[in-house]
Amino acid sequence: MNSIPKFPLAQIIDQIVAWLKSNFGQALHSFSRGFSEGIETLAERLLMVPWWVIILIFAFLAWRAKGWRLAIGTIIGLYFIYNLKLWAPFIDTLILVIISAVVSIVFGVPLGIIAGRSRGFHTILTPILDFMQTMPSFVYLIPALLFFSIGKVPAVFATVIFAMPPAIRFTDLGIRQVPVDLVEVGEAFGSTPGQLLFKVQLPVALPTIMAGINQTMMLSLSMVVIAAMIGAGGLGAGVLEAISQLKIGMGFEYGVAVVILAIILDRLFQGIGRSFRTDDNNNI
Amino acid sequence: MSEEIIEVQGLIKVFGANPDKALRALAKGKSKAEILKETGLTVGINNIGFTVNKGEIFVVMGLSGSGKSTVLRCLNRLIEPTAGTIIIDGTDITQLKEKELRKFRQEKTAMVFQQFALLPHRTVLQNTVFGLEIQGISKKEREEKAIKTLELVGLKGWEDKYPSQLSGGMKQRVGLARALTNDAEILLMDEAFSALDPLIREEMQDELLSLQQKMNKTIVFITHDLNEALKLGDRIAFLRDGELVQVGTPEEITTHPADDYVAKFVRGVDKSKILTAGDVMKKPQPLITLRDGPNVALRIMKQHGISSVFVVNRERQLQGIITVDAAVEARNAGITNLNDIELAHGPKIKEDVPVQEALGVIAESKLPMAVVDEEDKLIGIIVRGSVLAALASINHSFDVQDTEEAMAPPVSVAAQAGSQGGESNE
């Protein structure tokens, strides 16, 4: 047994990281700096908006997506966060979650579409997605730190890696689940591949895609605490501080704020997803 | 009418990679089962050839797995044929490049699907405009056309409903409207009515036939239901195991099944639906004309042992029936010309009407039923006995001789006066 030498996986990865750092380190750092500044400016602007305006915007969205019950729940929940004096970290976390989710969707949905239409790409992509979802996040948090230095950018990077797979998988699944005869309708009437995608496949797959986006939202939120360890700030930072100083009550306050945000985002997106759903889709 | 619009030759579809192996094996005359065993390839359809005439309903009939859907999908290349040519309107569509194929699909064909295949996120109107939308026709124009076809299929007022709000029959009306709105010459209908319950199915069949009279499309209709095939088809192609067994009119298929397979099918059919009045009628013997008087009528009736006789004018157009009683009365009244007495009128039927529709009338009428052609000329008569005999003869093993006689065109009947008028006096 000992005659077979150990596979030098660790060394290989180290070398790759070192190579990337020496070649792209500078560029990545400046990108990171610019991106961080962008996020911080956005946060400052949002904090200048009166808190009740933001609550009303959320309440309006909730009302449109699901009705007045969710709207009232949203007002109560968000006011409670404000009341706990967690408004600033709440806005920080909200921005991070939204940016991560948007990045995940912007890359994830097109990747999912390609995977849904190409069996080969689907086969290659599946193990990569498994890798992304199961690899312990600390393992790539450290290289992210090396590349982007501490702050919000590595947090977004880690969150995207963790949260993007459902967007890809659900889009892929949704496209594959479009009934064969509907695809045939598109083809039989002479659609171009683009028309087929936008007039048949995507609209029919939309409820499934929305479920994936909802998952992506939830997963990015669940990364906020871990991301706080590398300087993401926000509610996660509060939780982290409370844990390290054994302030149980304070930790609970921050925790509750995360839960409230999670529930509001989840219900909001469920509502949007459901509005695309018809009886026909439920039968699939 | 008989201008060919679709001509299929040597059509083969092999499913699986490397179909050439299967093609070579087919050329050597190997069977599908052997090929599947040796190469793992499935021969979907083998050496299919047929032509479809402009304006006809051509039914492709077969059980599931017979390859009928494959044949249909080859016609617009939803399934890529492995070998063979398909000439539609002078173009071999198997040679079309992607772009030309799209154009061909947009302009020449429209398809109706078994499970309706309506887009769930679109309203009835939005579904109906789909084909024109793909072609890039302006919203105003396509919606105007769609509203017209929706009215045609009886869905006026349902434009803004979603498919999930419709019943099965209505969904397929939308499917039909979507295909018709495209205004393509050729309609491909894939088991279009099979998913509907029987009553709605019949209704849709009738509607398709009446629409077809107005629009005169070329329709290729797939079905596994022989009654449907016989009802709709101008001609029927029988498929079994991917091979063409027989192509013919409903008459030919039912009277001369090409082999046991078709015969077995045909045996189960409700015969009264396919037998037309022309099939079961007897020669109208004897006849008298308006010039004749009651004496002539009585003499002929006596001669043939019958109690009534049909009266025609010089053009053989049906005038009525005179019974023994009426003739005697007329003679006693001193009338010498049939023009001067009122003739009785029995039931009358066109020769191409299915007997089924006339059964009730025949059963109740005391007088024999007259069979007339388009110009109201008397070409035959139907009495109770002859209908029953015809139905019985086909429901048992088919007696071809008998049917041929029944179907023989009733020309030169007058020459055979006295040969078989005996049955008309029931």
Side-chain angles (χ1 to χ4, degrees):
Chain A
M1 282 301 274
N2 288 336
S3 59
I4 302 171
K6 173 186 173 283
F7 184 72
L9 184 58
Q11 286 89 327
I12 292 172
I13 298 294
D14 285 345
Q15 275 167 17
I16 292 175
V17 170
W19 181 81
L20 284 175
K21 195 166 154 49
S22 66
N23 283 282
F24 300 101
Q26 208 55 41
L28 288 172
H29 266 286
S30 40
F31 165 78
S32 174
R33 212 167 300 131
F35 200 81
S36 290
E37 275 165 22
I39 295 177
E40 265 147 36
T41 327
L42 185 64
E44 277 166 29
R45 294 271 161 79
L46 271 182
L47 281 173
M48 286 199 294
V49 178
W51 58 274
W52 52 271
V53 172
I54 291 176
I55 291 183
L56 284 182
I57 291 173
F58 266 91
F60 176 75
L61 290 176
W63 173 66
R64 288 305 305 266
K66 240 189 157 181
W68 59 271
R69 281 167 191 272
L70 183 62
I72 290 175
T74 302
I75 292 173
I76 294 173
L78 291 183
Y79 179 74
F80 190 54
I81 293 177
Y82 175 78
N83 178 268
L84 290 174
K85 306 243 178 291
L86 297 180
W87 194 251
F90 162 75
I91 291 291
D92 267 0
T93 296
L94 183 67
I95 289 173
L96 245 132
V97 166
I98 288 176
I99 288 177
S100 306
V102 167
V103 172
S104 299
I105 292 161
V106 164
F107 288 98
V109 171
L111 284 172
I113 290 172
I114 300 172
R117 302 181 113 201
S118 148
R119 182 146 287 283
F121 191 70
H122 171 85
T123 314
I124 297 169
L125 201 61
T126 306
I128 297 176
L129 295 180
D130 294 339
F131 189 91
M132 285 163 76
Q133 280 188 298
T134 50
M135 186 60 124
S137 42
F138 293 104
V139 175
Y140 51 82
L141 273 182
I142 313 304
L145 272 183
L146 288 179
F147 292 137
F148 302 112
S149 74
I150 208 152
K152 295 197 189 312
V153 178
V156 169
F157 175 81
T159 310
V160 165
I161 287 183
F162 184 64
M164 188 158 62
I168 301 178
R169 281 191 211 272
F170 276 72
T171 306
D172 179 0
L173 181 74
I175 298 269
R176 276 179 200 284
Q177 274 184 343
V178 173
V180 182
D181 55 354
L182 292 186
V183 176
E184 280 188 337
V185 166
E187 288 178 344
F189 283 93
S191 307
T192 61
Q195 286 175 320
L196 184 65
L197 179 66
F198 286 106
K199 290 185 192 293
V200 179
Q201 289 175 313
L202 275 185
V204 175
L206 200 55
T208 312
I209 295 174
M210 287 308 296
I213 289 176
N214 188 26
Q215 288 265 306
T216 291
M217 279 286 210
M218 293 301 103
L219 287 185
S220 13
L221 197 52
S222 73
M223 271 300 274
V224 292
V225 176
I226 294 170
M229 289 181 178
I230 49 170
L235 295 170
V239 173
L240 214 59
E241 191 192 326
I243 292 172
S244 59
Q245 301 174 14
L246 274 177
K247 291 180 179 166
I248 294 166
M250 175 189 168
F252 200 79
E253 279 182 2
Y254 279 91
V256 165
V258 172
V259 171
I260 290 172
L261 179 57
I263 290 176
I264 290 173
L265 287 179
D266 177 61
R267 300 297 185 275
L268 206 62
F269 271 81
Q270 267 183 21
I272 295 171
R274 192 156 300 143
S275 65
F276 292 118
R277 203 167 272 270
T278 63
D279 289 350
D280 281 30
N281 289 92
N282 283 329
N283 296 336
I284 293 167
Chain B
M1 201 43 192
S2 64
E3 190 189 333
E4 284 168 8
I5 185 164
I6 303 175
E7 190 185 344
V8 178
Q9 267 177 4
L11 189 64
I12 299 176
K13 174 63 192 179
V14 176
F15 292 102
N18 273 328
D20 286 351
K21 270 194 271 178
L23 286 184
R24 280 196 296 273
L26 279 174
K28 281 185 204 153
K30 294 204 170 160
S31 75
K32 274 177 69 172
E34 284 172 320
I35 292 171
L36 180 63
K37 210 170 156 192
E38 284 169 24
T39 63
L41 296 167
T42 310
V43 179
I45 49 175
N46 182 21
N47 200 18
I48 303 283
F50 59 84
T51 59
V52 180
N53 298 326
K54 218 170 186 155
E56 84 173 334
I57 301 185
F58 186 84
V59 175
V60 180
M61 155 91 208
L63 295 179
S64 56
S66 62
K68 53 192 192 304
S69 282
T70 309
V71 171
L72 188 77
R73 280 168 172 70
C74 282
L75 294 182
N76 63 357
R77 276 179 59 190
L78 282 183
I79 290 179
E80 207 61 52
T82 312
T85 57
I86 300 169
I87 295 171
I88 293 183
D89 233 3
T91 319
D92 183 358
I93 62 134
T94 59
Q95 301 301 320
L96 294 179
K97 303 266 184 306
E98 212 175 308
K99 218 172 161 184
E100 300 161 330
L101 178 63
R102 275 203 291 272
K103 205 168 151 59
F104 161 79
R105 284 170 172 172
Q106 287 177 1
E107 290 170 2
K108 294 282 180 191
T109 63
M111 197 161 172
V112 182
F113 294 81
Q114 179 173 10
Q115 296 297 340
F116 325 127
L118 302 179
L119 297 168
H121 58 284
R122 287 172 169 242
T123 62
V124 167
L125 183 64
Q126 288 166 343
N127 264 291
T128 312
V129 299
F130 184 77
L132 296 179
E133 188 181 321
I134 293 295
Q135 292 176 31
I137 309 272
S138 76
K139 190 175 156 91
K140 188 165 168 276
E141 192 183 337
R142 68 190 187 223
E143 292 196 343
E144 269 171 18
K145 279 192 176 173
I147 286 170
K148 265 185 214 156
T149 39
L150 281 173
E151 202 175 333
L152 204 63
V153 300
L155 280 181
K156 198 181 177 182
W158 291 81
E159 290 87 351
D160 297 326
K161 297 274 189 278
Y162 281 88
S164 55
Q165 295 169 289
L166 305 182
S167 68
M170 288 172 127
K171 283 183 193 170
Q172 196 55 301
R173 280 167 201 268
V174 180
L176 194 58
R178 176 173 60 188
L180 293 177
T181 304
N182 231 27
D183 213 14
E185 258 173 281
I186 301 169
L187 221 51
L188 304 173
M189 304 185 70
D190 181 23
E191 300 233 23
F193 304 147
S194 300
L196 304 173
D197 59 58
L199 279 179
I200 308 285
R201 194 184 312 158
E202 294 236 343
E203 196 182 305
M204 291 295 285
Q205 290 164 354
D206 293 336
E207 202 151 316
L208 180 67
L209 287 173
S210 76
L211 280 173
Q212 168 67 354
Q213 282 197 330
K214 282 179 226 160
M215 308 198 296
N216 214 26
K217 304 258 182 208
T218 304
I219 301 178
V220 181
F221 194 102
I222 303 288
T223 184
H224 62 255
D225 174 357
L226 185 58
N227 278 325
E228 185 167 72
L230 294 170
K231 179 170 180 180
L232 297 178
D234 291 314
R235 286 189 305 137
I236 300 170
F238 250 88
L239 279 186
R240 180 191 44 196
D241 272 349
E243 303 205 356
L244 200 58
V245 184
Q246 185 173 14
V247 182
T249 63
E251 301 286 347
E252 287 162 6
I253 297 259
T254 45
T255 52
H256 302 290
D259 63 6
D260 287 351
Y261 176 75
V262 180
K264 222 161 91 190
F265 252 110
V266 170
R267 215 168 292 149
V269 174
D270 184 355
K271 289 301 172 308
S272 57
K273 279 188 187 163
I274 24 146
L275 284 178
T276 63
D279 293 337
V280 299
M281 67 188 183
K282 296 282 182 188
K283 290 154 191 170
Q285 298 294 331
L287 291 174
I288 59 173
T289 66
L290 285 173
R291 289 173 314 205
D292 300 320
N295 275 321
V296 180
L298 282 170
R299 201 179 64 233
I300 286 178
M301 283 188 250
K302 195 173 169 191
Q303 205 176 338
H304 291 93
I306 53 181
S307 59
S308 63
V309 62
F310 280 96
V311 183
V312 295
N313 66 10
R314 235 178 266 183
E315 281 77 40
R316 259 184 96 94
Q317 280 164 328
L318 182 63
Q319 303 299 310
I321 296 174
I322 182 163
T323 58
V324 170
D325 297 350
V328 169
E329 209 175 295
R331 187 184 58 182
N332 293 345
I335 297 170
T336 56
N337 195 314
L338 292 185
N339 265 327
D340 299 326
I341 58 170
E342 197 159 328
L343 297 169
H345 291 281
K348 191 163 90 171
I349 188 172
K350 289 250 168 63
E351 64 169 318
D352 53 19
V353 175
V355 169
Q356 192 193 29
E357 292 176 23
L359 283 177
V361 183
I362 294 169
E364 279 182 39
S365 170
K366 284 189 178 145
L367 296 168
M369 181 179 256
V371 182
V372 295
D373 65 9
E374 294 297 322
E375 286 150 347
D376 211 29
K377 284 186 184 159
L378 182 68
I379 54 173
I381 56 173
I382 298 177
V383 294
R384 265 176 275 185
S386 58
V387 176
L388 292 177
L391 290 178
S393 80
I394 318 178
N395 279 333
H396 291 293
S397 66
F398 212 82
D399 187 347
V400 175
Q401 197 102 61
D402 203 342
T403 320
E404 272 181 343
E405 196 191 336
M407 283 177 17
V411 283
S412 77
V413 276
Q416 304 167 15
S419 63
Q420 51 166 296
E423 280 183 69
S424 62
N425 61 350
E426 304 237 350

